[in-house]
Amino acid sequence: MARGIQTEAFRLSDEVAEALAAGRPVVALESTIISHGLPRPRNLEAAREFEAILRDAGVTPATIAVLDGVPRIGLDDDGVRRIAEEDMTKASVRDLPILSAKGASGATTVAATAYLAGRAGVRVFATGGLGGVHRGASDTFDESADLSALALSGVTVVSAGVKSVLDIPATLERLETLSVPVVGYRTTDFPSFWLSTSGYTIDWSVDDTDEIARVMRGQDLLGHGQGIVVANPLPADQQWDPEEHDRVLATAFAAADAAGVSGKAVTPFLLGFIVEESGGRSLEVNLDIARNNVRLAGGIARSWSALNS
Ligand code: PSU
Ligand code: MN
């Protein structure tokens, strides 16, 4: 297992480097959800809260972002403030060398975060919802690089499935093609982010975090470099009201069409529109989802650390 690798390509915070070197639990957190996925000023509170949930559980948070051209694995207070308050670009894997050359900053998507975490030896990552195949992708070819990056990075990503704004069955098919294991946490119902189910089932459910750590070990022993998706639904009594969800999403698609949004702007546009249109209710559910995933990721990191010590 890579432990605390430091290269010229990225910089680990001291805290993360020490935790990795000692085999202590570490969880990666993405920054696009902070910069582009959540409105200000709640996003700064959220970024701090996600880190605090991990610290309270004895886990070192590694929020990942590119600051002034340098990919950072673990941010200090000022770094966390910057991803929440500065207008920085949404950075996928392909943007990393360009930001480096320009000395520019970027908030990393799931793709770029998973890629950097994997390179640095951080094996567990919490996000809200993974990107995937967009609706209409057979015409637009719009499939998030989150899927291909996961197939290249041996990182376990905890996610409430994929957002119902995406084509869920197509996303599950792509994950199968890319040989990325997908397990449900105590369920075989694949969640659809704001809703606890999607109507699509997956083959496998896992019972506890120790079992997930054993799946990770099995993957390593096989020399299989792919990441793992842990689908973690919100408890049904915390999900968004399905009727309101369906109504707001229909309006959001119509608005995106009318505004002619495409490419990497689609996800931030839809998320922002949905928060507005739902009077902030989607935001509260979004935050609950992320907290729930951060907690589970912390548990997985602890199990992984215990299994390897
Ligand atoms: N999930 C959220 N909020 C977000 C995103 C996902 O709950 O903001 C972001 C993630 O950073 C993800 C990105 O990697 O959206 C996917 O964008 P695209 O579809 O353009 O690849
Ligand atoms: Mn896209």
Side-chain angles (χ1 to χ4, degrees), residues 50 104 174:
F50 300 156
R174 288 293 293 146

Side-chain angles (χ1 to χ4, degrees), residues 38-53:
L38 299 169
R40 297 173 190 164
R42 286 298 289 282
N43 63 345
L44 177 56
E45 279 170 44
R48 290 180 171 148
E49 186 190 346
F50 300 156
E51 293 207 343
I53 290 171

Side-chain angles (χ1 to χ4, degrees), residues 122-137:
V122 179
R123 296 294 305 269
V124 184
F125 168 20
T127 182
L130 194 64
V133 179
H134 285 259
R135 296 191 194 187

Side-chain angles (χ1 to χ4, degrees), residues 134 142-145 263-264:
H134 285 259
D142 191 354
E143 174 184 336
S144 177
K264 71 193 267 188

Side-chain angles (χ1 to χ4, degrees), residues 30 32-33 37 90 109-110 128-129 134 144 146 163 193 267 271:
E30 59 149 324
T32 293
I33 185 175
K90 170 180 166 185
T109 60
V110 170
H134 285 259
S144 177
D146 290 0
K163 278 177 224 73
F193 195 67
T267 301
L271 289 177

Side-chain angles (χ1 to χ4, degrees), residues 23 33 39 84 149 163 189 192 219 238 240 256 278:
I33 185 175
K163 278 177 224 73
D189 279 339
S192 56
Q219 183 86 322
Q238 280 178 268
W240 194 6
S278 71

